[in-house]
Amino acid sequence: MAYKIAIVGATGNVGREMLDILDERGFPAREVVAVASRRSQGIDVSFGDRTLTCQAIDHYDFSDVDICLMSAGGDVAREWAPKIAAKGCVVIDNSSAWRYDADVPLIVPEVNADAIVGFTRKNIIANPNCSTAQLVVALKPLHDVARIKRVVVSTYQSVSGGGKEAMDELFNQTRAVFVNDPITPEKFTKRIAFNVIPHIDAFMEDGYTKEEWKVLAETKKMLDPKIKVTCTAVRVPVFIGHSESVNIEFENPISAEEARDILREAPGVLVVDKHEDGGYVTPYESAGEDATYVSRIREDATIENGLNMWVVADNLRKGAALNAVQIAEVLVNRGLITPKKAAA
């Protein structure tokens, strides 16, 4: 059986990555269409050895589309996801618009694939925040064994999480430093070149940012509502790849060696943890890779049943595009949807 797939937001970083991953993984698609805003209508994007011309979302008829992978921002998702879903097309949305809706499953296939059956309530499935996705992939197998009580995470997030304009700003500011040109922040609140910014997304009343709140709320929804989570989100001058320093407190004893063994067997995880120079993974090495890498696993002597670890992944892939395609694969592999063409 082959499916018709639409990519909404096909000209963006994540949209282009979705197209690449669909091709790489040989997704059973009879047709793939690129959809974008009216201003991007007519722009060509690559899909394998083919070129797709973007069509405007305002005029596109989704009635014969089976799955829509959407990465066009929250406003577009809030307006268009219900309209597309009403056409009988399953929407897998990458924005934060639907993540906290009780009738919309929030899915990381390695973590809570069984929850996907709830998609029938609204025909919408939510993709988590890029930082949360890699975090829960690393936490889930440990939680299953020793039960997590509390997580303290500091994220070191690449500029690609802010889109192409953010990547351009890092490039242009870095060049400006070397040629002694003036630097005026536009996308970021402060200079990003050779700097770090402890601020991602809008501030909330309690002093946390919305990005930090997302990690808390999404981890609870996907993993366990009883887990206490606190987060500090930091933007760093890296183009692709999010890193996280994670401190975990468990209910039950677990050693660093036990954690390594558990994570080595976990789906989607690669452990690179040698106590030597370079015996760990950095975001540079994660770029273009599908795995969530875990390094620097060690026991925290300041608390009972505590571990520290370093988690790294390509935020455009596992944090966004790859996870969305994996969700679509779960729908197909579990027989949860039938191609409209085949059903007609």
Side-chain angles (χ1 to χ4, degrees), residues 3 5 13 35 56 69 90 99 110 117 164 166 169 172 180 182 208 235 251 259-260 289 292-293 296 304 310 313 321:
Y3 300 79
I5 310 297
N13 285 343
V35 182
L69 303 182
V90 181
R99 292 175 189 159
E110 297 93 335
V117 294
K164 184 180 182 299
E169 184 154 325
N172 293 331
N180 204 29
Y208 284 83
R235 190 72 75 187
E251 290 182 10
R260 286 188 200 94
E289 301 294 329
T292 295
Y293 293 91
R296 302 295 319 283
E304 190 174 2
W310 175 251

Side-chain angles (χ1 to χ4, degrees), residues 130-131 134 155-161 167 234-244 282-288 310-317:
C130 47
S131 296
Q134 67 189 64
T155 71
Y156 306 86
Q157 297 179 222
S158 66
V159 294
S160 57
M167 297 178 76
V234 181
R235 190 72 75 187
V236 297
V238 170
F239 283 108
I240 294 173
H242 286 359
S243 307
E244 297 168 343
T282 64
Y284 176 78
E285 287 127 14
S286 76
W310 175 251
V311 180
V312 179
D314 181 329
N315 55 294
L316 298 181
R317 293 181 74 89

Side-chain angles (χ1 to χ4, degrees), residues 14 45 47 67 97 118 125 147 200 241 244 324 335:
V14 175
V45 292
F47 174 59
I67 301 172
I125 302 169
R147 309 306 295 174
I200 302 176
E244 297 168 343

Side-chain angles (χ1 to χ4, degrees), residues 299-329:
E299 291 159 30
D300 178 359
T302 68
I303 55 173
E304 190 174 2
N305 306 328
L307 289 178
N308 288 301
M309 61 186 187
W310 175 251
V311 180
V312 179
D314 181 329
N315 55 294
L316 298 181
R317 293 181 74 89
K318 186 54 192 171
L322 172 64
N323 199 73
V325 173
Q326 287 178 306
I327 292 170
E329 290 172 345

